[in-house]
Amino acid sequence: MIWKRAVTLEALNAMGEGNMVGLLDIRFEHISDDEIAASMPVDERTHQPFGLLHGGASVVLAETLGSVAGYLCTEGEQKVVGLEVNANHLRSVYSGRVLGVCRALHTGGRHQVWQIDIYDQHSRLCCSSRLTTAVG
């Protein structure tokens, strides 16, 4: 197990209240020994003007997953902040919910690198993102 903090899905979802995570209805769905997953709706909150999932919304989901995963890999008063995020948008999504799955590529003492893949309701890869965080 890579997580150093004990957590439940209920606690993760409560963290989203009163911020962008809650506003976009991002819901943590799954946590295992080495990955974490959350879903997000594809609707008027996350659409771009042409009626499909906004790339920025995909990045919000990716950064949410990577930042929370990074926090779970720290201890005590340590904090995690994003340094760099990128996203390759591979497939358009018009409705439903997307699922982001986050896995660690590197969990060092000063930096972390997270791979976040976002899938549509048919399990097709829609976005591949990578987040680098600093641990302080």
Side-chain angles (χ1 to χ4, degrees), residues 106-126:
H106 173 72
T107 56
R110 294 187 182 154
H111 295 97
Q112 305 166 339
V113 181
W114 299 95
Q115 178 67 38
I116 305 96
D117 291 321
I118 300 175
Y119 301 91
D120 68 10
Q121 291 185 146
H122 304 289
S123 300
R124 297 177 297 196
L125 184 62
C126 301

